[in-house]
């Protein structure tokens, strides 16, 4: 895995059932977090880490996500006429010149692994790529400048092996996540260590650790053919976790990278409200 990381796949085809009724007529990725839609935070995170080629895996009814990154000539002309330069600049910053955004459709909801595989035709053979799950916001600790995805990309460039961002969760919540097995290595924040396996949504009794996959992955192109033949696993869905486990079985090194910042799971109402409350306060708006 030696090619430069440029591409980030962001799956946005989910139904957003945990956010209903908010997400009935608007994509869950468009819910506001402080002053911008959730998806804009995630694209900004990718851009800040040098991942400027974004591939959205989307579906019917979600065009607002793509529209958000497109030009809006009527609005821009009106704002220009009225001399509203600050708002115009804020709009321009949504899609800076380096952002290259494409999209591909996931026709059927067969799971995260299937969604990622839908982007395979948009990658070069064996091209490494990032995956960012947009439900989860990753932000530095208050007052810290340490940006986790940037640091993880740096770790990838140094070690030249796949990286998966993890954080510790209470034992009673391990069954909501992919859980990694680093053979008991005590991983400090900002460090990475090779993992020997990972398992999707284990019971607390079967979990190999409390280190959970939070939805930021740097993966080799070799995983695409594996995803193409991965059978449905947990929840009867084609799981990205299972394909990564297979990659390790085939002898590819994969590291767990323990994050330094904090996460907000905006895929459910409580996490989304917490993100708005905490980040709104920190921005001096509440
Ligand atoms: C997905 C992944 C899981 C990961 C989680 C992070 O699960 O399959 O491994 O821990 O995202 O949010 P989902 O939340 O889609 O069920």
């Amino acid at each position: 895995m030696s090619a430069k990381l440029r591409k980030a796949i962001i799956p946005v085809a989910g139904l957003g059932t945990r956010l209903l009724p908010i997400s009935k007529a608007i994509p869950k990725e468009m819910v506001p977090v402080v002053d911008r839609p959730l998806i804009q935070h995630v694209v900004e995170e990718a851009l800040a880490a040098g991942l400027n080629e974004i591939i959205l895996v989307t579906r019917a009814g979600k065009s607002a996500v793509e529209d958000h990154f497109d030009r809006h000539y009527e609005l821009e002309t009106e704002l220009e006429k009225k001399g509203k330069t600050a708002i115009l600049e804020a709009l321009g910053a949504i899609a800076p010149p380096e952002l290259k955004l494409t999209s591909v459709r996931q026709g059927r909801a067969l799971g995260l692994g299937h969604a990622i595989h839908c982007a395979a035709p948009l990658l070069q053979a064996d091209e490494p790529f990032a995956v960012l799950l947009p439900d989860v916001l990753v932000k530095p600790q208050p007052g810290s400048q340490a940006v986790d995805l940037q640091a993880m990309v740096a770790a990838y460039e140094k070690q030249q092996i796949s990286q998966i961002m993890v954080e510790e969760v209470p034992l009673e919540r391990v069954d909501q996540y992919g859980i990694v097995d680093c053979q008991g290595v005590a991983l400090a924040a900002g460090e990475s260590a090779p993992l020997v396996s990972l398992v999707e949504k284990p019971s607390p009794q079967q979990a190999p650790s409390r280190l959970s996959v939070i939805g930021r992955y740097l993966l080799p192109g070799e995983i695409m053919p594996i995803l193409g033949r991965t059978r449905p696993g947990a929840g009867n869905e084609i799981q990205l976790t299972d394909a990564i486990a297979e990659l390790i079985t085939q002898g590819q090194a994969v590291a767990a990278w323990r994050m330094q910042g904090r996460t907000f799971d905006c895929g459910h109402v409580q996490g989304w409200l917490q993100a708005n409350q905490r980040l709104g306060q920190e921005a001096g708006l509440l």
Side-chain angles (χ1 to χ4, degrees):
M1 187 158 123
S2 56
K4 188 113 182 109
L5 274 167
R6 287 266 170 252
K7 292 188 178 145
I9 302 175
I10 306 185
V12 297
L15 286 170
T17 39
R18 293 186 301 158
L19 267 192
L20 284 169
I22 301 168
S23 54
K24 186 180 173 206
I26 59 160
K28 63 174 173 166
E29 296 79 10
M30 292 302 293
V31 298
V33 176
V34 186
D35 60 350
R36 59 201 69 188
L38 178 56
I39 187 70
Q40 191 180 332
H41 288 270
V42 178
V43 168
E44 285 169 358
E45 182 191 351
L47 287 174
L51 305 163
N52 65 314
E53 298 181 31
I54 306 288
I55 302 171
L56 299 174
V57 182
T58 185
R59 67 168 171 83
K62 291 236 160 170
S63 56
V65 178
E66 288 146 298
D67 291 350
H68 185 70
F69 295 94
D70 207 345
R71 300 293 297 267
H72 190 325
Y73 290 106
E74 195 186 351
L75 182 60
E76 288 170 28
T77 310
E78 280 307 306
L79 291 168
E80 256 164 42
K81 265 199 235 156
K82 290 180 178 149
K84 307 247 181 205
T85 41
I87 308 176
L88 264 172
E89 272 170 30
L91 285 186
I94 298 173
E98 69 271 22
L99 173 65
K100 311 244 174 308
L101 189 128
T102 49
S103 64
V104 64
R105 296 268 173 148
Q106 183 187 21
R108 294 168 64 202
L110 298 179
L112 175 60
H114 176 257
I116 303 308
H117 189 249
C118 290
L122 300 181
L123 299 173
Q124 314 272 325
D126 292 346
E127 184 181 3
F129 60 92
V131 173
L132 281 76
L133 304 187
D135 280 2
V136 181
L137 264 186
V138 179
K139 295 285 180 188
Q141 299 288 354
S144 164
Q145 301 298 315
V147 180
D148 278 299
L149 191 62
Q150 273 175 11
M152 192 166 80
V153 168
Y156 156 78
E157 277 166 0
K158 194 164 160 222
Q159 301 170 11
Q160 290 294 319
I161 61 169
S162 307
Q163 306 282 332
I164 297 176
M165 203 182 287
V166 297
E167 71 173 346
E168 202 166 83
V169 290
L171 192 61
E172 62 272 19
R173 283 176 43 210
V174 291
D175 60 358
Q176 297 170 24
Y177 302 97
I179 301 291
V180 303
D181 183 355
C182 293
Q183 287 196 312
V185 170
L187 208 52
E191 278 183 9
S192 79
L195 54 96
V196 289
S197 70
L198 67 174
V199 53
E200 183 69 15
K201 303 191 172 78
S203 66
Q205 296 74 31
Q206 287 167 333
S209 76
R210 291 198 286 126
L211 290 175
S212 72
V213 174
I214 63 144
R216 300 293 183 272
Y217 310 78
L218 305 178
L219 297 169
E222 287 86 348
I223 199 167
M224 282 299 184
I226 298 176
L227 280 168
R229 53 175 189 268
T230 299
R231 309 312 315 158
N236 202 27
E237 294 187 346
I238 297 172
Q239 297 290 352
L240 179 58
T241 300
D242 294 344
I244 299 170
E246 173 62 22
L247 202 61
I248 298 169
T249 306
Q250 289 185 8
Q252 285 244 16
V254 178
W257 195 89
R258 184 156 177 188
M259 64 176 302
Q260 307 161 85
R262 55 204 165 135
T263 56
F264 297 96
D265 184 353
C266 297
H268 63 82
V269 176
Q270 194 191 20
W272 171 63
L273 287 174
Q274 273 168 357
N276 275 297
Q277 188 197 30
R278 300 236 179 104
L279 300 174
Q281 267 166 1
E282 287 166 22
L285 294 168
L286 289 175

